[in-house]
Amino acid sequence: MPVIHTADVMPDQGYDPGIRGVAVDGRLPDAPAPVPLPAYDLPDGPLGIPATALVAYRHAAEVLGKEQPGCHIDWALIASIGRIESNHARGGYVDAAGTTLQPILGPQLNGTGPYAAIPDTDHGLLDHDPVWDRAVGPFQFIPATWRSYAADGNGDGKADPGNLFDASLAAARYLCSGGLDLANPDQLRTAIYRYNNSDAYVTTVILWAEAYRKGVAQVPDSTVPVEAPTPTTSSAVPTANPGNKPPQVGVTLPPVVTDRPSVTPTGTPTSGVPSSTSSTTTETSTPTCGSSSSATSTSASPTTSTCVSSSSSKPS
């Protein structure tokens, strides 16, 4: 499979156009794997998503459904990328407005290893680094890309890449940019390749999105930052039954308001954010397609956060 994908719909991300296929978080394209991946089983559902993250994903999909109905993006695709990029903002370690309580920063984009060399473009305003750019927030936007797709998802008058509502909406707009229809399997893969030009990343995003559509259980936002669980097999493949699976109680998640999401203090969700008692829902799949060949996923991207595992509210 080629490393460069449909350049005619590649958004302008603000960095050197000579660097082709650079991921949203600054990763260089992965080389195609020499052999195809075997078939993988999807993780069993329902899978846990922290309360604030779940509302943010659903709200972003709802907004895009009105802004760009031809895109056909759904909350499960946004949730899948949120899970892979930051484990849902470190397990929902956010404040009442959905902003991360601890900065989530990627490595310096100084040309070392799998990352492009991107000198500072924001004077350290977003990434706290005046020398090199770094990916920022739960959806790991580099500052140049954030400037093009910045969004105010919670209606507070600010566009903050460290806020779950803002970053979820920006990610949705990025995936839908260029007039893509994500109900088309080829265009779905094109959108995900633009987010991270890795065969394994695309496959993993699709697998997790399909798993979330089969059923999701809300879990409380974590009171400590939670790292993603370490897979026992290839990092490109989601493990079976990841995390602690909350019990099903047969309660349908309430709809998200259309004009602005309801955000309440972390750990005490009401109305727009479902209650701390686990509940499940089943969603109908829109975009779907098969797997591809392997490389590595951005779920393993290092950050500057010092995180402590928590078994009480660990999302899947």
Side-chain angles (χ1 to χ4, degrees):
M1 183 173 291
V3 185
I4 303 302
H5 300 271
T6 54
D8 56 323
V9 293
M10 177 74 76
D12 177 14
Q13 298 182 31
Y15 47 72
D16 182 356
I19 304 174
R20 300 297 300 279
V22 174
V24 162
D25 69 350
R27 284 181 179 267
L28 294 168
D30 285 340
V35 294
L37 292 171
Y40 296 116
D41 293 328
L42 291 173
D44 294 333
L47 304 177
I49 296 180
T52 301
L54 184 55
V55 174
Y57 303 150
R58 289 166 64 90
H59 180 260
E62 185 173 351
V63 171
L64 261 292
K66 295 178 179 179
E67 288 183 354
Q68 302 182 47
C71 178
H72 297 113
I73 194 169
D74 71 341
W75 70 268
L77 179 64
I78 303 168
S80 176
I81 291 178
R83 193 269 176 194
I84 293 166
E85 293 296 333
S86 68
N87 197 25
H88 306 304
R90 300 291 185 262
Y93 187 56
V94 296
D95 64 16
T99 302
T100 57
L101 293 170
Q102 204 176 66
I104 301 177
L105 299 173
Q108 282 188 330
L109 300 179
N110 57 12
T112 302
Y115 294 95
I118 306 179
D120 174 65
T121 62
D122 68 333
H123 304 289
L125 180 64
L126 299 176
D127 58 14
H128 311 293
D129 190 330
V131 179
W132 299 97
D133 271 349
R134 305 175 74 170
V136 181
F139 280 82
Q140 289 292 276
F141 280 98
I142 57 175
T145 310
W146 178 255
R147 282 198 301 272
S148 297
Y149 296 92
D152 178 12
N154 60 359
D156 64 357
K158 299 182 295 183
D160 180 3
N163 180 276
L164 263 173
F165 293 93
D166 297 354
S168 296
L169 183 54
R173 287 175 174 167
Y174 181 88
L175 290 166
C176 288
S177 60
L180 295 180
D181 179 2
L182 305 190
N184 180 310
D186 291 335
Q187 294 187 41
L188 169 66
R189 298 186 73 86
T190 293
I192 304 171
Y193 270 116
R194 287 192 323 210
Y195 210 95
N196 189 324
N197 203 328
S198 159
D199 295 336
Y201 184 89
V202 172
T203 298
T204 305
V205 167
I206 291 171
L207 288 174
W208 276 100
E210 291 178 349
Y212 282 140
R213 292 182 193 113
K214 288 186 173 182
V216 63
Q218 175 201 290
V219 297
D221 292 341
S222 180
T223 58
V224 295
V226 179
E227 290 284 5
T230 302
T232 56
T233 56
S234 169
S235 61
V237 185
T239 56
N241 299 309
N244 296 323
K245 190 166 62 177
Q248 299 188 44
V249 295
V251 179
T252 302
L253 288 172
V256 180
V257 294
T258 57
D259 52 352
R260 177 175 174 175
S262 175
V263 184
T264 57
T266 301
T268 315
T270 61
S271 62
V273 181
S275 66
S276 59
T277 301
S278 298
S279 60
T280 64
T281 185
T282 301
E283 298 288 339
T284 302
S285 173
T286 302
T288 180
C289 58
S291 60
S292 181
S293 53
S294 174
T296 55
S297 165
T298 58
S299 58
S301 300
T303 70
T304 58
S305 304
T306 301
C307 299
V308 181
S309 297
S310 170
S311 59
S312 62
S313 58
K314 186 176 183 180
S316 298

